[in-house]
Amino acid sequence: MKGQSSPCKPDGEERETSVGWSQRSNQRLLALTALALLFLPPGMAWGVEPLEFKPGFNLFSVRQEMQLGKESAEKVDKTYPLVTNPQVLRYINELGRRLASLAPNNNSEYAWTFKVINSPDINAFALPGGYVYLNRGVFEAAENEAQIAGVMAHESGHVVMRHGTHEASQALLAQAPLAILESMLGREGSLTAQLAEMGLGLGVDSVLLKNSRNAESQADEVGAYILYHAGYDPHALGQFFEIVQKKYPQRTIQFISDHPNPENRIKNIDSEIAILGPAKEWKTDSAEFEGAKKRLLSLPAPTSVSSSGPPPAPSSRLTRFEGNGFSVSYPDNWRVQLNEDAVALVPPGGIVNVAESGAAQAYGASISRFQPQNSGQGNWGLIAATQELVDTLRQANPNLRVIEQKAVNLKGRSALSTLFETESPLQGQKERDLLVTTRQRDYLFSLIFISPEPSFDAYKPTFLAMLQSLEIQ
Ligand SMILES: [Zn+2]
């Protein structure tokens, strides 16, 4: 299945938060502080902390934040293939904790656990409470320790500024009055379960990772601050962003989606550097970084790309994926892969390499939201919107042919089931897809089950069990 990308908008792309952070007043504060520093005795000027980092509105106590982070991290650990090499882990945890100890608003409760996901995609993310994940691809792209420290310092910035729970708080506030939320969050038991009740799925595709551009700028500022105080050139942070955007545009899709590029990112970082203090003799690289990078580069590639025959049969044990606005069960021998605008649930070997377009999904399921053209007016119909989606898919797969379409009922929701045939990314094979669409607020929610034609019937019971388990909020 390919070519689903352009029409779907990732959630929250245009969202900006306005609570708790005012760029302009901060700049004014910085200007005043810089002025005040002129009147300090020489040598003392940079000894004070001229920057003020103030986290935004938040419903969660630090204790709740820790619990939430821990529960989410457990899910992430189960979902992604983690690197277990002890030297690599020791290296990033030592470096990460050293950097975090210099962060403003650091809390002694934070876990500060750093893990590496065995994925060539360039991505990194941080969960509340100090659970930081870096993809192997970040190490491959980083040219020196200062750059990897830049990424880690930026992620630590998201943690200490409490961006994840800030975003979750904003999302909750849009749903219920403050007093009700406070009493609900005060209850005992799993916080993840409580939030799921309130319509906030907190899996790997969770609101905890949806940073606004403001949050990104803030994480950059904290990141530059940490780098400076750790003795690294704070320019390394901007350098890394520039390198990955220029050199690896296809491998950064998720990174860009989790870290929307703030306007004038490099310029903003540079202007902050000017007030951090005078240049020092910077630490750039270390033998430990080069050693860790070498070890990571020599690791076998993760299992998702394969040409070694069909995937093993789907496990009959199901596990739950909590997405943003939906949840679904899937076989526990499948993996979750987050793409720019879709969540793919994939059996081992279910993603194959295609010469002209990179990786494509040949088996499994893919969930996304499609924005119909006249969605702004709110008066679009399910059938027309589904047709529009099918037409969009057909642009990438001209031989797509609809076999059957019928109205179905998804737990009281009217939905449309469309069975179609197209070309499989597996050479010479036809593919059968079952597309299920329903309206979710202003979007068309779309779930596509994918299999080469000969194995479609074998996968059908799994697909139907998944469909029955689907919950849409
Ligand atoms: Zn970020």
Side-chain angles (χ1 to χ4, degrees):
M1 195 67 233
K2 52 183 174 170
Q4 266 201 72
S5 49
S6 53
C8 308
K9 272 222 171 93
D11 266 7
E13 193 197 317
E14 305 297 2
R15 207 158 25 117
E16 290 293 336
T17 65
S18 55
V19 184
W21 178 256
S22 158
Q23 189 85 19
R24 197 168 298 139
S25 69
N26 193 48
Q27 272 162 6
R28 208 179 307 130
L29 178 72
L30 297 182
L32 282 173
T33 318
L35 195 66
L37 289 171
L38 291 176
F39 299 100
L40 287 170
M44 261 200 69
W46 307 114
V48 296
E49 309 233 316
L51 291 158
E52 193 185 327
F53 297 103
K54 201 168 169 295
F57 163 73
N58 211 305
L59 284 166
F60 298 83
S61 67
V62 170
R63 193 183 61 87
Q64 286 171 326
E65 181 163 82
M66 292 306 301
Q67 190 191 340
L68 199 57
K70 189 162 174 276
E71 287 174 20
S72 307
E74 279 162 8
K75 272 190 189 159
V76 168
D77 291 352
K78 272 192 246 158
T79 306
Y80 291 114
L82 295 174
V83 169
T84 53
N85 182 289
Q87 285 99 331
V88 170
L89 291 180
R90 195 176 53 225
Y91 170 68
I92 64 154
N93 278 284
E94 278 174 10
L95 175 61
R97 286 179 192 151
R98 179 154 54 89
L99 295 167
S101 72
L102 300 164
N105 307 326
N106 193 7
N107 190 301
S108 58
E109 302 279 306
Y110 286 155
W112 296 122
T113 301
F114 297 81
K115 293 184 178 169
V116 182
I117 295 172
N118 189 8
S119 162
D121 291 333
I122 296 162
N123 195 21
F125 59 91
L127 293 167
Y131 300 88
V132 179
Y133 294 82
L134 294 141
N135 277 6
R136 194 191 81 200
V138 176
F139 279 83
E140 292 172 16
E143 290 169 345
N144 54 45
E145 180 168 280
Q147 288 176 9
I148 205 95
V151 176
M152 293 166 87
H154 170 99
E155 294 305 329
S156 306
H158 284 305
V159 174
V160 295
M161 300 311 289
R162 311 185 69 197
H163 286 149
T165 47
H166 169 70
E167 282 298 316
S169 301
Q170 300 271 75
L172 286 171
L173 203 58
Q175 291 182 17
L178 192 57
I180 293 181
L181 294 173
E182 280 172 343
S183 73
M184 286 183 88
L185 289 173
R187 294 199 320 238
E188 290 297 308
S190 158
L191 211 49
T192 317
Q194 285 176 40
L195 292 172
E197 262 173 54
M198 294 184 227
L200 272 196
L202 295 178
V204 289
D205 176 40
S206 93
V207 65
L208 298 176
L209 301 176
K210 300 288 171 209
N211 293 311
S212 66
R213 289 186 178 80
N214 276 345
E216 283 312 306
S217 299
Q218 232 178 9
D220 283 349
E221 287 175 26
V222 175
Y225 175 93
I226 294 175
L227 283 186
Y228 181 83
H229 290 283
Y232 296 101
D233 183 352
H235 290 99
L237 177 61
Q239 278 163 7
F240 182 78
F241 288 122
E242 279 185 325
I243 291 173
V244 296
Q245 278 171 27
K246 271 192 206 126
K247 273 175 75 178
Y248 308 97
Q250 312 83 10
R251 283 166 62 183
T252 54
I253 290 167
Q254 189 60 38
F255 188 68
I256 302 299
S257 142
D258 287 350
H259 299 78
N261 208 0
E263 260 172 70
N264 304 320
R265 161 168 254 157
I266 307 290
K267 229 173 81 195
N268 291 344
I269 299 177
D270 287 353
S271 64
E272 187 198 343
I273 291 169
I275 54 166
L276 279 170
K280 303 177 186 174
E281 204 163 314
W282 307 118
K283 184 171 157 57
T284 306
D285 208 359
S286 73
E288 290 82 9
F289 169 75
E290 293 302 331
K293 181 170 173 167
K294 219 160 135 192
R295 280 198 183 88
L296 284 168
L297 282 170
S298 69
L299 285 181
T303 49
S304 64
V305 175
S306 149
S307 53
S308 56
S315 160
S316 57
R317 275 199 315 266
L318 300 184
T319 183
R320 195 95 185 137
F321 174 76
E322 302 280 347
N324 196 0
F326 72 93
S327 63
V328 69
S329 298
Y330 63 98
D332 72 355
N333 63 341
W334 291 17
R335 285 215 175 273
V336 177
Q337 185 178 315
L338 300 178
N339 301 316
E340 182 176 20
D341 42 37
V343 176
L345 302 166
V346 197
I351 305 260
V352 295
N353 273 325
V354 184
E356 76 276 20
S357 57
Q361 187 172 3
Y363 293 87
S366 171
I367 298 158
S368 62
R369 288 187 190 89
F370 177 74
Q371 190 158 33
Q373 243 157 29
N374 59 352
S375 61
Q377 292 123 46
N379 59 349
W380 50 276
L382 178 59
I383 297 177
T386 302
Q387 187 57 47
E388 205 181 309
L389 171 60
V390 170
D391 289 343
T392 311
L393 298 175
R394 195 177 274 123
Q395 283 167 18
N397 311 270
N399 294 325
L400 188 153
R401 184 175 71 84
V402 173
I403 300 168
E404 187 191 43
Q405 188 167 61
K406 59 182 181 197
V408 290
N409 189 307
L410 275 187
K411 294 184 183 144
R413 230 172 228 281
S414 56
L416 206 57
S417 136
T418 309
L419 185 68
F420 61 85
E421 182 192 88
T422 182
E423 265 155 44
S424 169
L426 296 165
Q427 232 174 9
Q429 291 209 41
K430 287 245 173 279
E431 172 178 300
R432 191 158 282 211
D433 296 80
L434 179 64
L435 164 69
V436 180
T437 44
T438 186
R439 207 179 150 137
Q440 187 187 31
R441 294 184 281 272
D442 290 340
Y443 291 94
L444 184 71
F445 177 94
S446 121
L447 165 57
I448 306 183
F449 295 109
I450 306 157
S451 161
E453 201 141 51
S455 28
F456 187 82
D457 284 342
Y459 273 92
K460 212 167 167 184
T462 304
F463 292 163
L464 293 179
M466 291 174 70
L467 191 57
Q468 268 165 11
S469 76
L470 177 67
E471 300 277 353
I472 301 172
Q473 285 114 27

